[in-house]
Every structure is written in C-alpha cells, then in structure tokens.
Amino acid sequence: DAGVIQSPRHEVTEMGQEVTLRCKPISGHDYLFWYRQTMMRGLELLIYFNNNVPIDDSGMPEDRFSAKMPNASFSTLKIQPSEPRDSAVYFCASNKVAGRAMNTQYFGPGTRLTVL
Amino acid sequence: GENVEQHPSTLSVQEGDSAVIKCTYSDSASNYFPWYKQELGKRPQLIIDIRSNVGEKKDQRIAVTLNKTAKHFSLHITETQPEDSAVYFCAASTSNTGKLIFGQGTTLQVKP
C-alpha cells in the first residue's frame, strides 16, 4: 500500500482565497483524521470520520473550515476564506479498529499551507 | 474531558546516555498507548505502542512502561544516538472511539 496520500504537499495562497486539501486514506481503514500542527499550538485534532461519517468536529476552529468524506477513499478539508493564521501543516491520518482493538494510526506526509 | 500530559517539553542528553519521557492520562478507560517520533519536516511515525493488558514492551533500544493504577506511561531510550534527535509524542486512546489524544510533545536533542 502507498500509505496515506495527501495533496498538495505545499500550498501558498493569498488571504481570502479558498483552499482545498485532499486526502486518500489507506485502503481498508475505517477511520480518517484531520490534524493541524503549528509551533504555538502543537498537534490539534480538527475532525474525524468513521465509515465516512463525521464523528467529532469539535476541533474545527471556525465556520470557515469544513470537511467532507464522500467515499471511503477520499476526504477534503476546505478553508474559505483563508486567513494568515491558518498557516500550518495539515496532516491526514487513518487507522482501522478491528473488533475492540485499535491499530496503528498512520499519518500522511502533510500539506504545508502558507496564507499571505 | 480526556487529557494527556507529557513531560518534559525539552530534553537534552549526551550521546550514549538514556532518555526518559513521561506521560499521564486522565481517562481510566484508555487501553492503547502509542509513541510517535517526528523528525524535522516529516510526519509523525509510530515507534512503539503498548496495550493496557501489558506492563512493559521493548524493541531494541526503546521500551515503554505502563502503570494503569497511576495512569501514567513512559518511553525509555537507551544508548541514545544523534539520529534519535526529534520530537516525541505520546498518545492514549480508548479503542471504541478510534481517536488518539496526543501529549504536547518532547523535543529530544542528543549531543554527539
């Protein structure tokens, strides 16, 4: 398996523009997570899905952020409009819970977002 | 709510020395405890994990211990090498939620 795939790897945009980040989880994984990482706030969980259904979006900072998972192999995180304080590395991760046992959560390479 | 506290935030050791990072968790139902290593500019990667039915686990130079009564777990790295320099994150999870609660991270510097 290629692992968790994210695109783009780098994104530079201007304040006010819409930004869409993309993620393909590992095949067969039933959980998908979106994280944001900054020096100031560390690694923050934004939202996660189970079987394509959003379970907990309490980490989404504002209404400007939205996430979707239309099928088991694709998810998007959208920021509209973007602001300079959204600059961060955004990671997607996935894992499988088999029965009552949680398995390794794998991270994608991340998208480094810079909002000017 | 669920919380994981990690200490220290920074740790500097001489090459060859041991390093210990400690975490405490709040949810007594937590039963899975992974440790991730994140090198500069890279993604977090799992280095070792432990489940609540085990008290200790070793993998070469790294080991993790778990004290369920005290609700804390620790990462031990022996014979440290410069390539061990990175940020280390602990995490805790209850399997029925599928999500990990991460600690704040420890920046480990191994001086040659």
Side-chain angles (χ1 to χ4, degrees):
Chain A
D1 200 309
V4 177
I5 299 172
Q6 289 186 248
S7 64
R9 296 291 307 277
H10 302 273
E11 176 81 24
V12 180
T13 191
E14 293 190 344
M15 182 174 63
Q17 296 298 305
E18 177 178 297
V19 175
T20 299
L21 311 181
R22 298 173 175 79
C23 176
K24 176 180 169 53
I26 292 173
S27 176
H29 282 191
D30 51 1
Y31 281 84
L32 182 140
F33 305 82
W34 283 101
Y35 294 90
R36 178 172 69 177
Q37 187 174 40
T38 61
M39 290 292 292
M40 291 296 294
R41 301 175 70 90
L43 195 60
E44 302 174 273
L45 176 64
L46 301 178
I47 185 171
Y48 76 101
F49 296 83
N50 176 216
N51 292 323
N52 315 338
V53 177
I55 302 300
D56 183 354
D57 65 354
S58 60
M60 296 285 260
E62 301 170 32
D63 291 345
R64 299 184 297 105
F65 286 69
S66 63
K68 294 181 180 179
M69 192 165 186
N71 57 61
S73 59
F74 183 66
S75 177
T76 59
L77 178 68
K78 186 174 293 185
I79 308 172
Q80 166 63 14
S82 58
E83 297 183 3
R85 60 195 168 117
D86 301 331
S87 297
V89 179
Y90 291 81
F91 288 105
C92 177
S94 71
N95 67 255
K96 182 173 182 62
V97 177
R100 294 178 60 81
M102 182 164 170
N103 293 317
T104 303
Q105 189 171 122
Y106 294 93
F107 283 75
T111 295
R112 182 173 296 277
L113 173 65
T114 302
V115 183
L116 302 174
Chain B
E2 305 156 332
N3 189 45
V4 174
E5 295 288 334
Q6 182 171 347
H7 299 280
S9 57
T10 60
L11 180 59
S12 181
V13 300
Q14 287 294 136
E15 182 177 359
D17 288 350
S18 295
V20 180
I21 303 170
K22 299 181 179 181
C23 290
T24 58
Y25 60 97
S26 60
D27 186 354
S28 57
S30 296
N31 58 10
Y32 175 66
F33 307 91
W35 286 87
Y36 284 81
K37 175 183 180 182
Q38 186 178 25
E39 297 176 349
L40 190 63
K42 302 287 183 63
R43 74 189 82 184
Q45 292 195 295
L46 180 79
I47 55 171
I48 194 168
D49 57 12
I50 191 168
R51 300 188 188 274
S52 57
N53 58 348
V54 175
E56 183 176 1
K57 185 176 179 180
K58 287 184 179 180
D59 183 3
Q60 300 183 345
R61 294 187 298 107
I62 60 173
V64 58
T65 58
L66 171 65
N67 183 327
K68 287 171 54 180
T69 302
K71 291 192 286 188
H72 68 68
F73 56 113
S74 300
L75 177 71
H76 304 253
I77 307 174
T78 58
E79 301 173 22
T80 54
Q81 301 167 3
E83 51 266 38
D84 294 330
S85 297
V87 178
Y88 291 81
F89 292 95
C90 64
S93 174
T94 54
S95 58
N96 60 350
T97 67
K99 73 174 183 179
L100 295 175
I101 307 298
F102 281 90
Q104 297 87 343
T106 296
T107 300
L108 173 64
Q109 181 186 30
V110 180
K111 298 177 181 178

